[in-house]
Each structure stands twice: as C-alpha cells, then as structure tokens.
Amino acid sequence: MTILGLLTVLFPHLVCLQIDQVARSGRSVRIRARTKTSQAACPYCGVISQRVHSSYERRVCDTAVSGQDTVLHLRVQRFRCGNHPCGNHHCGKRTFVEQVPGLTVRYGRHSV
Ligand SMILES: [Zn+2]
C-alpha cells in the first residue's frame, strides 16, 4: 500500500489537504497541513471568491489514532468576499475564512 493509500484509509477527511509534516510530539501526533483550494464561497452571501486575503494556522484536535491524540495544525485561507465592492456594501462581511468540509466548522477546535 502506498503512503497515499494508507492516508486515505486512516485519515479520509485529510485527503483533500496538502500534508506538510507528520511528527510525534510527546504522546500525540502532530500533523501540519494546508488546504489546496483556490476559491471558496462566502458563508454569509454565498458568492464565490478567488481573492485570498491572508492565511493563518488553526489548531484542530482530531480523533486519536492508536491511542495517540492527533493535533492538526491546519493552514487555512481568509478570502475577501467578492460581493463587497468598494463604496457599495452588498455583503456585510469583507472577509471570511474557508472551512474544510467534514473537518472544520467556524470557531471549532475539534474536527467534525
Ligand atoms: Zn459575502
């Protein structure tokens, strides 16, 4: 079985991510990953945006694997809402953070 195959079996919710590093840290496993998305829908108005504003790292506690806690350090992107032209506010939000389906929810510290 390939590494990708093993990943697909053990962590099916991480397959859509770019995995940068997997390391043991004490009694837990630390996974550094980032999203590969180039666009996201604004959760407030639904308009798709491709304008990345910034990115930051979220810490998400995931299900234990073989008795070891798994902590996901996930770099997510903040997008500018495309429904927010200067001087004409169509959407109340200037920016929003992408969510990873099946993995993250807004303000959540644990994976779905
Ligand atoms: Zn919006």
Side-chain angles (χ1 to χ4, degrees), residues 42 45 81 91:
C42 173
C45 69
C81 177
C91 174

Side-chain angles (χ1 to χ4, degrees), residues 19-89:
I19 305 295
D20 292 328
Q21 184 187 49
V22 179
R24 181 169 294 179
S25 176
R27 291 178 48 86
S28 62
V29 174
R30 189 177 58 208
I31 301 173
R32 287 196 185 282
R34 71 182 86 181
T35 60
K36 296 186 282 189
T37 49
S38 58
Q39 62 181 32
C42 173
Y44 304 96
C45 69
V47 170
I48 302 287
S49 174
Q50 297 178 325
R51 298 163 61 201
V52 176
H53 174 273
S54 58
S55 67
Y56 74 98
E57 190 175 279
R58 286 183 65 172
R59 224 180 99 180
V60 182
C61 296
D62 202 3
T63 311
V65 176
S66 299
Q68 299 174 97
D69 293 332
T70 305
V71 181
L72 178 63
H73 294 255
L74 177 62
R75 182 156 289 278
V76 293
Q77 300 175 96
R78 178 176 288 280
F79 287 86
R80 293 181 195 279
C81 177
N83 191 17
H84 194 275
C86 289
N88 189 4
H89 296 207

